[in-house]
Amino acid sequence: MSEVTQEQITALLCQRLANFTEIEAEVSPETNLITHLAIDSVKLLNLVMEIEDQFDISVPLNTLVDVLTVQDLANLIYKIKSLSQ
């Protein structure tokens, strides 16, 4: 994926997360990954691997500490993607 906007990343994450979890919930940028979607550490690592493949980036695990919402994750991906270009 080349030029991608932060809005596109957010939309893609919302769509991906809606399919990724077993919970029937509407996923928005404000959705909390842990409390609303019940994403545990194993699911998070699987999600990160998919994201890395999708966006051709490497997400340092220590950066995930501050990620609570879908928007936080989108911001992180956008930042990493921008720095890698």
Side-chain angles (χ1 to χ4, degrees):
M1 242 182 175
S2 55
E3 289 295 317
V4 63
T5 67
Q6 194 160 0
E7 291 79 18
Q8 290 171 321
I9 292 171
T10 303
L12 185 72
L13 282 176
C14 287
Q15 179 184 18
R16 173 76 94 209
L17 284 165
N19 297 328
F20 191 78
T21 62
E22 293 98 31
I23 295 176
E24 289 290 324
E26 186 174 326
V27 180
S28 71
E30 296 80 28
T31 302
N32 186 294
L33 298 173
I34 297 167
T35 59
H36 293 125
L37 299 179
I39 292 184
D40 60 18
S41 57
V42 174
K43 286 182 183 177
L44 183 60
L45 289 178
N46 287 334
L47 177 63
V48 167
M49 287 190 299
E50 286 183 23
I51 290 168
E52 288 177 331
D53 290 343
Q54 175 86 35
F55 293 103
D56 194 28
I57 59 172
S58 179
V59 178
L61 294 180
N62 64 334
T63 61
L64 297 173
V65 174
D66 297 325
V67 173
L68 299 176
T69 66
V70 175
Q71 189 63 57
D72 293 339
L73 186 56
N75 293 344
L76 176 63
I77 293 167
Y78 183 75
K79 179 180 175 183
I80 293 170
K81 185 76 176 155
S82 296
L83 292 174
S84 68
Q85 292 181 355

